Amino acid sequence: MKSDALRLFFALDCPPALAEVIVAWRDSLHLSGRPVATANLHLTLAFLGQQPRARVPELLGLAARLQVPAFELRLDRLVRRRNGLVYLAPSQPIEGLLNLAQALRDALLAAGIGLENRPFLAHLSLLRHCPKLPPDVIPSFDWPATNFALYASEQGPHGTQYRQLQQWPLLRND
Ligand code: 2AM
């Protein structure tokens, strides 16, 4: 029987060609830990947690109404958290990204879906349970962010899978 709740989040989907390049670079560092699958690379904009399946049409509607410009995202920091999560992040605040995350948060709040009160952390997770990073690793990946999507996080036979429910374009600048 299908569960009537889904674990949902909005995210930027890493373009497949860029995901391949990032994963090849990550693997070349030979870090210990549990790597995130190439297909799962994404940058979360808003984490909704468990939501009733019946809410999905409303979420699709509010996302479709957002009018946010496309932007360039440069990932140029490699970070390891104390819990062993290793991620890529921008070293500078990216206005377009912050605007998109805020627009989503506002639209969700207006729909009565409050997010956790922790500040938005722009990050693309690469590896979990990593004990240590080598010093002086300076990445540089450019990601033209042209769309965003709603995902359901599901447990599959090979671990966590992120199923894209729908995606929407960001506004072109030209
Ligand atoms: P992570 O990669 O840092 O774990 C699906 O689980 C996505 O939602 C992942 O990007 C995950 O981030 C993020 N996520 C999971 N729990 C979250 C929470 N409580 N707050 C914000 N993001 C969360």
Side-chain angles (χ1 to χ4, degrees):
M1 199 180 80
K2 271 189 172 179
S3 154
D4 62 0
L6 294 170
R7 185 177 158 90
L8 297 175
F9 62 100
F10 285 99
L12 297 176
D13 185 20
C14 190
L18 178 61
E20 299 270 350
V21 171
I22 290 176
V23 162
W25 171 82
R26 174 197 66 193
D27 293 351
S28 75
L29 297 174
H30 300 292
L31 303 173
S32 304
R34 183 156 58 80
V36 175
T38 312
N40 279 358
L41 293 199
H42 67 276
L43 190 150
T44 294
L45 298 161
F47 179 74
L48 284 65
Q50 293 290 126
Q51 297 289 336
R53 198 179 276 275
R55 269 217 118 140
V56 168
E58 184 187 1
L59 295 170
L60 301 182
L62 74 80
R65 285 190 293 276
L66 289 191
Q67 301 275 309
V68 180
F71 54 90
E72 282 285 326
L73 181 58
R74 169 161 287 192
L75 299 170
D76 54 359
R77 273 177 76 214
L78 185 68
V79 181
R80 179 186 164 276
R81 296 201 117 182
R82 261 185 304 181
N83 64 5
L85 176 71
V86 170
Y87 62 81
L88 285 169
S91 62
Q92 304 295 327
I94 311 278
E95 202 185 330
L97 174 63
L98 298 177
N99 287 344
L100 175 57
Q102 189 61 48
L104 271 169
R105 177 178 283 265
D106 292 345
L108 289 165
L109 253 187
I113 303 173
L115 302 180
E116 279 178 28
N117 213 6
R118 59 169 104 162
F120 170 62
L121 175 69
H123 71 292
L124 184 148
S125 298
L126 290 181
L127 201 79
R128 299 184 193 277
H129 312 301
C130 175
K132 194 167 182 278
L133 283 186
D136 306 327
V137 180
I138 302 182
S140 178
F141 297 106
D142 289 317
W143 175 345
T146 55
N147 50 54
F148 70 104
L150 178 65
Y151 292 87
S153 171
E154 296 174 339
Q155 288 310 312
H158 307 293
T160 304
Q161 290 174 339
Y162 300 138
R163 180 165 60 92
Q164 192 178 100
L165 302 182
Q166 191 154 327
Q167 65 166 313
W168 300 269
L170 295 168
L171 297 180
R172 301 273 309 241
N173 303 312
D174 49 52

